[in-house]
Amino acid sequence: MASAINPRLPRIWHGGDYNPEQWPRATWDEDMRLMQESRFNVATVGVFSWVSLQPAEDRFTFEWLDEVLAKLTAADRFVCLATPTMAHPAWMSQAYPDVLRADDTGVRRHHGRRTNYCPNSPSYRRFGRAIAERLAQRYATYPGLVAWHVSNEYGGACYCDTCADKFRQWLHAKYASLDELNQRWWTAFWSHTFTDWSQIEPPYNNGETLTAALTLDYRRFQTQSMLECFKLERDAIRQHSHDVPITTNMMGAYVHLDYRAWAPELDVISWDCYPWPSADPGDIAFLHDLHRSLKDGQPFMLMEQTPSSQNWQPVNALKRPGVLRLWSYLAVAHGADTVMYFQWRRGRGGCEKFHGAVVEHGRSPSTRVFNEVSELGAELERLGEATLGARTPARVAVLFDWENWWAIDSAVGPINNKEYVATVRRWYRALWRRNVGVDVVFSDSDLSRYDVVIAPMLHMVKEGVADRIQALLERGGTFVTTVFSGVVDETDLAFEGYPGPLRPLLGVRIEEVDALYDGQTNHILMSDASATYACSRLCEIVHAETADVLATYAEDFYAGTPVLTRNRFGAGQAYYVATDPEDAFLDAFVDKLLAHHGIAAPLEAPPGVEVAVRERDGQRVLFVLNHTAETTHVPLPADPSYRDLLRGMAVTGKLSLAPRDVRILLLSS
Amino acid sequence: MASAINPRLPRIWHGGDYNPEQWPRATWDEDMRLMQESRFNVATVGVFSWVSLQPAEDRFTFEWLDEVLAKLTAADRFVCLATPTMAHPAWMSQAYPDVLRADDTGVRRHHGRRTNYCPNSPSYRRFGRAIAERLAQRYATYPGLVAWHVSNEYGGACYCDTCADKFRQWLHAKYASLDELNQRWWTAFWSHTFTDWSQIEPPYNNGETLTAALTLDYRRFQTQSMLECFKLERDAIRQHSHDVPITTNMMGAYVHLDYRAWAPELDVISWDCYPWPSADPGDIAFLHDLHRSLKDGQPFMLMEQTPSSQNWQPVNALKRPGVLRLWSYLAVAHGADTVMYFQWRRGRGGCEKFHGAVVEHGRSPSTRVFNEVSELGAELERLGEATLGARTPARVAVLFDWENWWAIDSAVGPINNKEYVATVRRWYRALWRRNVGVDVVFSDSDLSRYDVVIAPMLHMVKEGVADRIQALLERGGTFVTTVFSGVVDETDLAFEGYPGPLRPLLGVRIEEVDALYDGQTNHILMSDASATYACSRLCEIVHAETADVLATYAEDFYAGTPVLTRNRFGAGQAYYVATDPEDAFLDAFVDKLLAHHGIAAPLEAPPGVEVAVRERDGQRVLFVLNHTAETTHVPLPADPSYRDLLRGMAVTGKLSLAPRDVRILLLSS
Amino acid sequence: MASAINPRLPRIWHGGDYNPEQWPRATWDEDMRLMQESRFNVATVGVFSWVSLQPAEDRFTFEWLDEVLAKLTAADRFVCLATPTMAHPAWMSQAYPDVLRADDTGVRRHHGRRTNYCPNSPSYRRFGRAIAERLAQRYATYPGLVAWHVSNEYGGACYCDTCADKFRQWLHAKYASLDELNQRWWTAFWSHTFTDWSQIEPPYNNGETLTAALTLDYRRFQTQSMLECFKLERDAIRQHSHDVPITTNMMGAYVHLDYRAWAPELDVISWDCYPWPSADPGDIAFLHDLHRSLKDGQPFMLMEQTPSSQNWQPVNALKRPGVLRLWSYLAVAHGADTVMYFQWRRGRGGCEKFHGAVVEHGRSPSTRVFNEVSELGAELERLGEATLGARTPARVAVLFDWENWWAIDSAVGPINNKEYVATVRRWYRALWRRNVGVDVVFSDSDLSRYDVVIAPMLHMVKEGVADRIQALLERGGTFVTTVFSGVVDETDLAFEGYPGPLRPLLGVRIEEVDALYDGQTNHILMSDASATYACSRLCEIVHAETADVLATYAEDFYAGTPVLTRNRFGAGQAYYVATDPEDAFLDAFVDKLLAHHGIAAPLEAPPGVEVAVRERDGQRVLFVLNHTAETTHVPLPADPSYRDLLRGMAVTGKLSLAPRDVRILLLSS
């Protein structure tokens, strides 16, 4: 039951952003030829075309787009058609200033850059909906259309008066009474009690920056405001285009938008993957798993990646030969059903003229990058639909939650350097290094399919979370959480005693939290004397109530007190890690959890070699990725038998992988 | 002649901030019980209660406060009653926008945070005075009232149009004529001459930032504007409450407010002591001595300190066990007659929910912190009134002056890194390490009681200062000043020749000042060949006129020229230290000064053990504080005899102090 | 054919800024006496005198200036008369707010500091022109007048509405049609197409910051706007004063102003030389050569330098003894015909009261600084007119271009740390270390007099540049350019293939550019195995087309590919250096180029000893400058013979130079 994103194109899509409106017509024909040569088969068109499609409020110029789409069809290419609403035209800002975003002091910005609109602007919403609808009306029946791409990289926040007004309405709807809001926000502190709704303002940087509950609600309000923009366009499109999937491209662990709240509104998740050139592949894998998990495992689109270098980082190193292919398959291994680029052709001007592209300024197809893209395109054709729609089996989950992130970041104390995302990533990577499938879960996720759930720094414990964890434990599952957990509820009110609703599950009580200066450490002394590990940043002083003490602090006035505890609850076990341990601890700890549940890697592989699995219709496909710059070997068990999908042949014995090489194996047991 | 702050409560007050308005009534009874258990006997109430007491312009709700005070009385607790004017209600900002402060470009801020009012706002002053008066009318006769706490931590600065107008009036009153102002401010420079009073503006960050005399006067104006706010409230209270002392809490070496100018208006000094967790206790001692010296030795209130951790620093380490007690007695040793906390109970929300409190979120009294507080409370009860009103004997003084600080900081050149306060602290600490009593003096202080006055970086020499130093010298005293001294007068006009009016006293002329890069040093070569010391940052090229040269530079083109000089003047000696020397120099130099005047520590103690003295009615009380984490021993001379006030027994021979332990000894000679 | 700046004073001018309006009349007579004593013979008067000359719109007070000029004449001093328009009076800002500059968000600043006017303000221009004209009318015939100094240190940029309007007009005039502008600026990118001229705004920091072509044009517009201010005043002066040279003081490699575009409008270049105390003298030499080259070799005025220390740097070290003289002759050696200071007398107030001056606050003439100034003054008198008007012979040129700088800095990618100016300086210093004469050239310079032209990072290749380089090559010259060259045209549009128009000349094609993290290196492996050099920051991947490969990369995936190429073109050679090499490479490479062209130093000198040449009327004067703190020796060849101009005697054999000493030798062959 292979399920392509769109059955019109049942293979891994290979393509990316294409901006023909920046170029003379003569270039378009060259584009078609080169796209064919490089197996670039899906062009994302229209992302920044608003002024080209609507040069004045009442004038529309779709003719060039008609022509481009016709050429793409003629060249046997497909189209991911974007609405152009990320970057609105200057004429709009000029005629309808409410369109412009205001900065965090409430001052309206000048026109410029992009994502510079107010998501609550009536004018923006009216124009945005209208252009989306016109595109849908005109192109719904375009034969090459495989997906709708609404706007682009939603993000940021606006603090204009329109937003302020709507925020007050939003709060009124949420809290019903001012008393309730004042109580939930604990406004009696510092005499912040509101006596009229009209007194409430956004968390202006030169205003109320220190009421965390206000900041939290404003973040919720802004992510919802932008989601409303998306939905307006999506609904307008859907009226005319009934069966083409609609998406918008996300940006990983992006602080401003709670993508989990967005996911149900998208037909398919898509995202733009721009790691640092020196990134750990485990961190990239985490982000792929995050996006796959947004819709609970549904395969996603890799909408953008650079074929060579980025341009907006402090240092934009080139992707080394083979890395484009390696990281493309990394995405596929973790659930991507597309491999797409930003962008097809480098513009001669604009701030991204030094961003990598398939076709460089020199227009030559005989470049390293064009060749790597073309070879990958050809290879993806050979792979065909073998992996399409396949799911990632995972018995382990790591919990990540945007609102928890916001709450942790807005907490004043006990340390500035809170590192929520980095901490989640470190726990994730310990699992990733073991080559076991990992899902990301959220506070609202169903945990019933997991054996192990690790929730680093679960500071905010929302309604229902403790119940779901309890169910996990009762049926024999393992739950882990760490320092600074169980502290606040959904409006950032502290529980009267930590870890709040997790206390009966974890069997511990937290009395104090100590903060360590950079470079300062304490140590974790395992009670079985098996090892000692460094820990840093935060050290909680814990009382074991019903929990067993598995390790204690080695130093300072709390030496000998618990730092690692295990509470047997139901048939399961709940661990508390009261500090931020070094990686060696994570590795050893994770090994024990996996062993306890009999969770093992699909293949034994040397360090730096990743093995990931996708499954469909009872078939398993293994991705073996050599992230190292060395040739390496992976022994294959005699049974089951493996078929190399790219080479089209059976493999046995020992798999040899060249530096940065990838193998894709179909298991037949 | 013991003199308690308020004879109603003749003991060391033990208490702190209490915010019942944030909690349901049920909590109040728990509060009373726990306060009794912890000997928390003075509750500071009302600091942030404005909106709770006055939820609308014409509506007042004192009933809850009546009830709280009644409960406190019933529980035998006392009250430090605060006016709530630090944090004004949102309704006030909304109805009277002139209440809001403007930032340093003159742009009005949004409502939020606290201390967000304009000190010259007519509305703010009207409302502030009124609420203070109403509180005084209602509670003047409240039996548990022991002190009035006006507003809270005055600070910052406003740059609104109201302030600008009043500033011009203030300048007109000060200088009478524009010609005088132009001359004093040296405005002919860069064509800055004002031809009409209306042209003068505050030193806006996007305006005139480089006229130091303007900046200086604006600082004076702002500190006085806030002092006027204090006086308005104080006078309103005094009309109804005649014998309860009135204070406001200060914040140490806080740049915005010239506390010396404030001191005469307060009945008793109080301050909030929030050192870095890793602070040198000598720096804390300096701040206690500074506050004690603001009213020339009168004991002060330690109004706030955290029982455990702060929350607003980058890293908020816990106070280690014993540190709360140690640092509390450090305050008492230096003149405090109260030991008070912020705060009684942690709020569940608000930006200080991670600030330490006596009662934590867990509400439990069986915490380390609650226990330490309770034990200290019990101990303070045992100490009784033995130290109350006692004075600190000091023959040595260190000069610190806010206006001097402002002048140094606004000087452009010769180095960015001026470090006035750090330099004062370093000199202070050299004396503190010798366990001799030190007063802080100011430019206007009477110096007649001192043998030694050290004035590091006395850049601004005000009217009368040279005369007072001359008198000190004539009667045999010692005066020391250091690099960058004697440069400007009170309006920041440079003297024509440095060190200005100090030149005849010091017997030197400064020709040039060299600035050294970070990490660069010169050396101080003692003329008696006794030692060589590193020096850094600033090196002046000095000509000894009547002074003797005690040391010369070892390096660079000014090698061999004077760096330390001594001028015999009258019966005294005036030293000039033309650079910023390392601590070893300060230690050796200070030793010689003390030896010369026969000033010795009250006890010989090993490094890290402080000995401080308070005297009253001919009785001396010694505080012996072990700041180390080691057990240590202090030999006691056979005569006089010592009585341990906490243990209630005589001690002889050798005093053994556990890590961070404190002994309080009464001398009977 | 000696040509003095003004024949009235045919010697090296020795003087500087004099601000008598800050001082009482009594001081003026002291000034005259001390000026005579120190041979301070040219006083720059009036720089900041606007409010002193025009205290109200309709009131003028020239009398004090009359008196000062009379005193100067009586004292036999000369005058460089300044217009006071850098710092406008407060009354003007108050009455005509359009005078005030707006910050980069378009918000008008408050009055204050200096250079705080809008260069396009009609009021500013009207008042500026008028005061210049009045000064010219009154003082054109003043006998001591030797130069006009228009305003002072033009700089910065304004973003007010007046500027925005004029910018749109300027663009309209430049591009004629919006289509042309949209195409050149590549505005289709991110939907930035303008559909009406009125939509274009300055590159506000809270607006359009990312359209590099807009930023570039705004820089051009602002430099031209300020130049128009200069020309307005200059023309007003010229109407009344026909033969006195007119200048304004420049500031080296100052980013805001394209001084090359200014140079034709000035009669003589003048500049203010304020190196870091720790500056490499080669960097100072570069700036002197830059200013000399602005008018293609015409000698320039050193208008300002500090006699001792600056005050606005983080650390303002003193000039060591001898450095003032050494650096003064460094200027003369590179083309200066004046040695002037900021300033004569330190003001007692104002933000420059700690800036070095000839007369310090102590008013004493018996200071080290006053003595050094006086001795230098006397020596310059002895030197007489020997060097006046003499030219610097140079067969080598380094290309520096402001618009190229702006383009490089506004490029987003491939690395943040672009270092254009630092790179130019590094190449310059390699030549300077060889003691060969070097001119700075610009994109519009005639290259016909040079054998070698080095153009580091010639990113923007303007019209005609490739032609001029081609001509250089055809006649046997050598051209060198380096990484990131040949990328964009004058409106920042990327060429379709790098290095654009330089490709046929260099015989290479650039495929990719790799960026290296700080601390990361690759290596340059010389093909003749002569050496290996480190390189860093940027490494381009180059294809040699017609060029020979002289060196290859040693590491990474592009190991073995070209990093240094030489293309034989016409009779010449064009080198491409595809990376940023260490100094050792530059030294070796430059040696080969010089050897090829038989270009040698005028004398063999040890490291740290500079030898520079000026020529006039067939006579050569050699400046030998010992930049080290050691005594050093320079052997003189037997022929020609040398005459020491300062000592007035012949020298032969070996020249001995004390630390920081200078010799000036006249060659007679």
Side-chain angles (χ1 to χ4, degrees), chain A residues 615-662:
Chain A
E615 288 182 346
R616 194 190 64 201
D617 309 332
Q619 280 198 323
R620 309 191 84 195
V621 177
L622 261 57
F623 293 79
V624 186
L625 303 109
N626 180 7
H627 290 293
T628 76
E630 313 295 324
T631 296
T632 188
H633 307 281
V634 178
L636 297 174
D639 179 63
S641 64
Y642 297 88
R643 181 173 174 77
D644 184 322
L645 288 177
L646 297 178
R647 303 185 178 189
M649 52 187 283
V651 281
T652 56
K654 197 167 63 175
L655 213 56
S656 287
L657 289 99
R660 301 192 181 110
D661 198 7
V662 176

Side-chain angles (χ1 to χ4, degrees), chain A residues 74 90 217 276 403 485 502 505 552 620 656 659:
Chain A
D217 270 341
W276 292 75
E403 297 186 339
S485 289
L502 304 180
L505 308 179
T552 54
R620 309 191 84 195
S656 287

Side-chain angles (χ1 to χ4, degrees), chain A residues 208 496 498 511 514 556, chain B residues 113 320 353 361 363 368:
Chain A
E208 184 45 50
E496 296 196 276
Y498 323 138
E511 182 177 331
D514 194 24
D556 218 321
Chain B
R113 307 184 69 149
R320 268 49 198 156
K353 72 175 183 286
H361 286 145
R363 310 185 83 121
R368 177 181 75 91

Side-chain angles (χ1 to χ4, degrees), chain B residues 115-326:
Chain B
T115 331
N116 51 347
Y117 56 85
C118 165
N120 287 303
S121 154
S123 305
Y124 174 76
R125 290 193 170 188
R126 178 163 50 87
F127 284 117
R129 198 201 171 289
I131 190 74
E133 178 151 29
R134 279 180 187 261
L135 283 165
Q137 285 171 322
R138 191 172 191 106
Y139 300 112
T141 57
Y142 172 67
L145 183 66
V146 289
W148 286 99
H149 177 300
V150 172
S151 203
N152 186 48
E153 295 183 352
Y154 284 96
C158 178
Y159 295 79
C160 74
D161 291 345
T162 311
C163 284
D165 279 343
K166 282 199 58 174
F167 180 48
R168 285 183 279 267
Q169 295 165 29
W170 184 92
L171 291 171
H172 203 140
K174 175 171 182 177
Y175 293 103
S177 84
L178 258 189
D179 280 353
E180 177 68 12
L181 177 146
N182 278 319
Q183 191 271 325
R184 301 301 300 176
W185 286 11
W186 204 259
T187 53
F189 176 80
W190 284 5
S191 207
H192 282 178
T193 304
F194 297 102
T195 54
D196 192 278
W197 291 99
S198 62
Q199 292 157 6
I200 305 175
E201 295 185 320
Y204 295 123
N205 193 32
N206 61 347
E208 184 45 51
T209 54
L210 291 176
T211 295
L214 162 63
T215 302
L216 198 61
D217 271 339
Y218 201 72
R219 283 190 175 281
R220 287 177 174 128
F221 166 70
Q222 282 286 318
T223 193
Q224 289 182 20
S225 297
M226 284 188 211
L227 181 55
E228 284 171 14
C229 292
F230 168 79
K231 286 159 69 179
L232 266 179
E233 293 192 38
R234 181 203 60 188
D235 293 348
I237 293 167
R238 186 55 81 228
Q239 285 187 314
H240 304 279
S241 174
H242 306 297
D243 50 8
V244 175
I246 304 177
T247 188
T248 185
N249 48 347
M250 296 174 166
M251 292 183 285
Y254 175 71
V255 70
H256 286 290
L257 301 184
D258 179 355
Y259 288 142
R260 176 64 174 178
W262 285 56
E265 309 294 342
L266 279 66
D267 294 325
V268 58
I269 298 294
S270 68
W271 87 283
D272 300 347
C273 180
Y274 291 108
W276 292 75
S278 55
D280 186 311
D283 284 334
I284 307 173
F286 167 70
L287 294 175
H288 289 309
D289 285 354
L290 171 66
H291 286 89
R292 185 192 69 237
S293 300
L294 285 172
K295 287 184 88 71
D296 300 309
Q298 179 183 316
F300 61 91
M301 295 176 66
L302 176 61
M303 184 66 93
E304 296 183 15
Q305 65 174 334
T306 180
S308 52
S309 69
Q310 299 167 58
N311 75 313
W312 47 267
Q313 300 206 11
V315 175
N316 298 281
L318 296 169
K319 280 186 178 167
R320 268 49 198 156
V323 169
L324 171 63
R325 176 174 177 264
L326 176 67

